[in-house]
Amino acid sequence: MKLNILTLVAVCALAASAAMADKKATDTSPAEDLKVYRDYFQKRFPGIAINEFGNGSYALDAVARDNWLAIEEFPPYEPMIDAGESIWNKPFANGKSFATCFSDDPAQRQNFPYWDAKRKMVVTMELAINECLESNGEKPMGYNKGKIADLAAYMAYQSRGQKINVEVPDDAGALKAYNDGKSYYFTRRGQLNFSCAHCHMESAGMHIRSELLSPAIGQASGWPVYRAKWGELGTLHRRFGGCNEQVRAKKLKPQSEEYRNLEYFLTHMSNGIEYNGPSARK
Amino acid sequence: MRKTAKLATTALSLAALFTGASMAPSVAGAADDASIKMGKEVAYDRKKGNCLACHMMDDGASPGDIGPPLIAMKARFPDRAKLRAQVWNAMDNNPGTRMPAFGKYQALSEAEIDAIVDYLYTL
């Protein structure tokens, strides 16, 4: 059923605001974008401090926020942080460990995602985790949930308070990766024909059925997330897949080039906001 | 909620025009009620129209608020074809819309869309 999955507009249709309307992804620089997106959300939600956007929809609704704060008092992800710490400390068969790959410091969040100029690709923290395993003769982990999410939760927890500061260097490849992620965010897809921006820019703060839609800025700060609906931790790319399926689009493989570029764009959009993972969500 | 025979006939002939199907139920009023009932079911079904995701309508529980409330439809959409077109492909009317194109992308069948329009006219 080709018809169902397609409907991709070749050039992204930016529809979130007048300032973003009818522009191609390549028309504006990452720095200009950041300003436009921030201004857009700060006008839409006046009085909300920029760092608050890292709390997703809970930044926008006092009642939901209170319930959420109560949950965060006894966080459901606490045992997973401990499990992640054990994974961090457990030596590989060759005697080395994750500490060897990550300069002895689990507080790595602020170093990812980044553009690797030599390999010409975006490297995410989860990718670096599996590359560490493989380069030490160990088996890689599944990307959506489970052990990798536990380890990422421990690393994120150790990194809390670091400010997001994704740089898009002056490099044609880096800029293309960023723009590809940006186009992905603004392109309609799936049988229901929505872009990410239709829900998380134009409709942010509105309800889709009883779900309050979170704003695009800040969406990358709190991962991995413990979702009550999942009953466990999941990674950002798992969420991408879920949001693709909501519009009846095919989800992509976690850590595919498309999703890594999407993470690059989305995290850049959150620049200036603190990493605050792991988090709890509905 | 029965429509007058005249309205029902107009609706039916219009529906026939769109679907290319010939619908000639012996008792127009009864067929209409069935269609309205089906329209409501399809509109509420999360796997079908899921209109409640975005619209307040009728007695639907916890509706979203992305689209406008669907009320007084007959008064606001006297032209049935316009209303049907909004459901079939909302992008025709507004290219930037967030409303899915239920007909164009075959999320709903032509008959289901006709039934939804019958139902909308009762709101």
Side-chain angles (χ1 to χ4, degrees):
Chain A
M1 279 239 232
K2 245 212 181 125
L3 234 181
N4 294 357
I5 330 173
L6 101 122
T7 66
L8 296 168
V9 198
V11 187
C12 67
L14 294 156
S17 76
M20 290 174 245
D22 298 326
K23 281 194 177 148
K24 281 191 239 140
T26 45
D27 279 357
T28 49
S29 72
E32 286 166 335
D33 291 346
L34 186 58
K35 186 173 175 337
V36 171
Y37 302 140
R38 271 203 190 204
D39 288 354
Y40 174 74
F41 285 113
Q42 294 207 296
K43 270 202 200 104
R44 246 327 259 272
F45 305 109
I48 293 186
I50 191 76
N51 204 46
E52 268 300 306
F53 285 98
N55 297 327
S57 60
Y58 304 125
L60 310 178
D61 179 314
V63 175
R65 183 190 176 83
D66 284 348
N67 289 331
W68 166 71
L69 284 175
I71 291 170
E72 290 275 351
E73 293 271 328
F74 302 98
Y77 49 74
E78 213 162 58
M80 291 83 175
I81 296 178
D82 294 343
E85 184 172 10
S86 307
I87 297 171
W88 174 269
N89 286 323
K90 192 169 171 238
F92 303 145
N94 66 7
K96 294 183 179 171
S97 72
F98 283 107
T100 326
C101 300
F102 291 106
S103 26
D104 281 328
D105 185 2
Q108 290 291 327
R109 238 350 313 195
Q110 68 184 348
N111 299 325
F112 298 93
Y114 72 95
W115 173 252
D116 183 330
K118 267 198 221 111
R119 293 198 289 164
K120 300 196 187 313
M121 63 189 280
V122 170
V123 178
T124 63
M125 196 168 87
E126 287 82 357
L127 188 76
I129 286 172
N130 267 350
E131 287 183 340
C132 174
L133 286 171
E134 286 180 299
S135 65
N136 284 289
E138 300 279 325
K139 260 178 67 184
M141 308 187 269
Y143 276 121
N144 276 333
K145 56 185 179 184
K147 284 185 178 170
I148 205 161
D150 293 347
L151 178 58
Y154 170 64
M155 294 172 76
Y157 186 69
Q158 293 295 322
S159 316
R160 275 190 179 179
Q162 291 177 350
K163 257 200 190 147
I164 301 179
N165 185 26
V166 171
E167 281 175 34
V168 181
D170 191 11
D171 170 316
L175 198 60
K176 180 168 187 309
Y178 171 89
N179 283 329
D180 286 353
K182 178 174 162 186
S183 299
Y184 195 91
Y185 205 83
F186 286 97
T187 301
R188 289 182 184 268
R189 65 174 55 77
Q191 190 184 43
L192 299 186
N193 208 29
F194 282 44
S195 69
C196 314
H198 281 115
C199 282
H200 296 295
M201 285 195 149
E202 275 185 86
S203 313
M206 297 178 187
H207 295 84
I208 187 150
R209 205 70 196 245
S210 52
E211 293 248 38
L212 182 59
L213 287 162
S214 57
I217 62 170
Q219 276 194 324
S221 69
W223 297 88
V225 161
Y226 182 97
R227 270 187 93 191
K229 193 178 152 196
W230 291 336
E232 58 185 5
L233 281 179
T235 58
L236 178 60
H237 291 205
R238 181 180 181 185
R239 179 83 237 195
F240 289 169
C243 278
N244 278 157
E245 286 186 330
Q246 287 195 67
V247 295
R248 302 180 195 162
K250 251 217 180 100
K251 66 176 169 197
L252 305 176
K253 283 220 171 80
Q255 302 300 325
S256 59
E257 183 177 18
E258 289 94 333
Y259 277 1
R260 276 183 290 108
N261 291 344
L262 179 61
E263 178 174 341
Y264 193 45
F265 166 73
L266 196 63
T267 316
H268 179 271
M269 218 196 297
S270 300
N271 272 0
I273 294 170
E274 285 172 13
Y275 277 113
N276 58 354
S279 336
R281 294 284 186 268
K282 247 200 338 188
Chain B
M1 272 218 200
R2 265 159 206 264
K3 287 177 179 167
T4 64
K6 185 161 172 261
L7 251 177
T9 329
T10 323
L12 279 172
S13 57
L14 262 169
L17 201 87
F18 275 104
T19 55
S22 67
M23 304 201 279
S26 47
V27 189
D32 215 41
D33 275 354
S35 177
I36 290 168
K37 186 167 169 281
M38 169 178 154
K40 181 171 178 175
E41 276 165 18
V42 174
Y44 281 29
D45 187 336
R46 280 173 194 265
K47 297 212 162 69
K48 296 277 191 172
N50 198 16
C51 315
L52 288 167
C54 299
H55 295 284
M56 192 214 86
M57 64 200 293
D58 208 356
D59 58 356
S62 50
D65 55 9
I66 292 174
L70 299 180
I71 42 172
M73 298 312 286
K74 218 183 268 176
R76 295 193 301 125
F77 286 86
D79 180 355
R80 184 181 165 107
K82 267 218 174 107
L83 182 55
R84 195 183 191 280
Q86 174 71 28
V87 183
W88 198 83
N89 180 16
M91 277 171 84
D92 272 346
N93 187 40
N94 170 12
T97 188
R98 284 158 285 172
M99 176 158 155
F102 292 100
K104 188 170 181 198
Y105 295 120
Q106 298 166 16
L108 295 174
S109 72
E110 300 296 325
E112 285 168 337
I113 292 178
D114 288 328
I116 286 184
V117 176
D118 284 343
Y119 167 59
L120 289 177
Y121 264 165
T122 69
L123 302 179

